[in-house]
Amino acid sequence: MMVCGACERELTEDLYSGEHRVLRPSIRRCMDCVAGGNQLVLLKKGRTRPEEDECPLCSLPLPLDSDQSSSNPCCLKLICNGCLLAAQKRGIMGKCPFCRTPASDNDQQIIAMMQKRVDAGDPKAMLNLGNQYSCGNFGLVKDVRKSLQLCERAADLGLKDAHYRLGFVYHFGVALRRTRPRRPGI
């Protein structure tokens, strides 16, 4: 008995052509699947992107280039530039295209919006505010300790980007002092 890599059925050897009989199980296809043009299971699985990688307005995958999308501090939804352009053409100027919150140029209002989301338990807002503390943006005093606390809270809530940020900071020691000396050979 052999398993077909396309239909995943367990079939006898006589249902496979001679050239497919010798292939490894993951790429072996029975004669019915070859004739029907059925794709291998490997080509069907794992090809979808997670929902957070989609623009919430048009539901298209967000570009991998971060310059082709942006987010606002009100809702922190990542929106593609195409939807931003469409919103401008519709006259939605000075507002977030997703939540329609008026945009603010005042640093205190922007921090207040982010802090409100942090208080509500939004892990993306925690990471974003932590990044602002680490850089000293929006008039905040640069505070690495506060930045790490916010990133750790976001990581505890399961945000992958927060785990990445913490790993980066701890691996490279960005703005951290050593609490104990390194051992030789490490």
Side-chain angles (χ1 to χ4, degrees), residues 4 7 31 43 63 77 89 92 98 104 128-129 145 175 185:
C4 174
C7 63
M31 285 192 255
L43 302 176
K77 295 289 185 185
K89 286 184 175 183
I92 305 173
F98 184 75
S104 175
N128 193 5
L129 189 58
R145 184 170 304 209

Side-chain angles (χ1 to χ4, degrees), residues 19-122:
E19 77 179 56
H20 279 274
R21 220 176 275 146
V22 295
L23 296 175
R24 66 177 186 266
S26 60
I27 61 171
R28 181 185 312 137
R29 294 190 295 169
C30 64
M31 285 192 255
D32 292 338
C33 290
V34 171
N38 294 347
Q39 292 285 326
L40 294 170
V41 173
L42 287 175
L43 302 176
K44 295 179 195 172
K45 293 182 180 176
R47 297 278 180 177
T48 59
R49 291 173 67 178
E51 188 176 323
E52 66 246 14
D53 286 347
E54 291 181 353
C55 175
L57 298 177
C58 65
S59 297
L60 292 174
L62 286 167
L64 296 176
D65 183 9
S66 62
D67 292 336
Q68 296 179 4
S69 58
S70 63
S71 67
N72 291 325
C74 50
C75 60
L76 293 174
K77 295 289 185 185
L78 202 56
I79 299 170
C80 68
N81 286 353
C83 289
L84 292 174
L85 179 64
Q88 285 178 345
K89 286 184 175 183
R90 288 192 180 110
I92 305 173
M93 298 290 289
K95 292 183 179 179
C96 174
F98 184 75
C99 66
R100 305 290 198 259
T101 302
S104 175
D105 292 333
N106 185 351
D107 289 346
Q108 266 75 29
Q109 286 180 338
I110 292 172
I111 294 299
M113 279 192 268
M114 282 194 267
Q115 188 62 51
K116 183 179 175 184
R117 299 212 38 97
V118 167
D119 294 340
D122 184 2

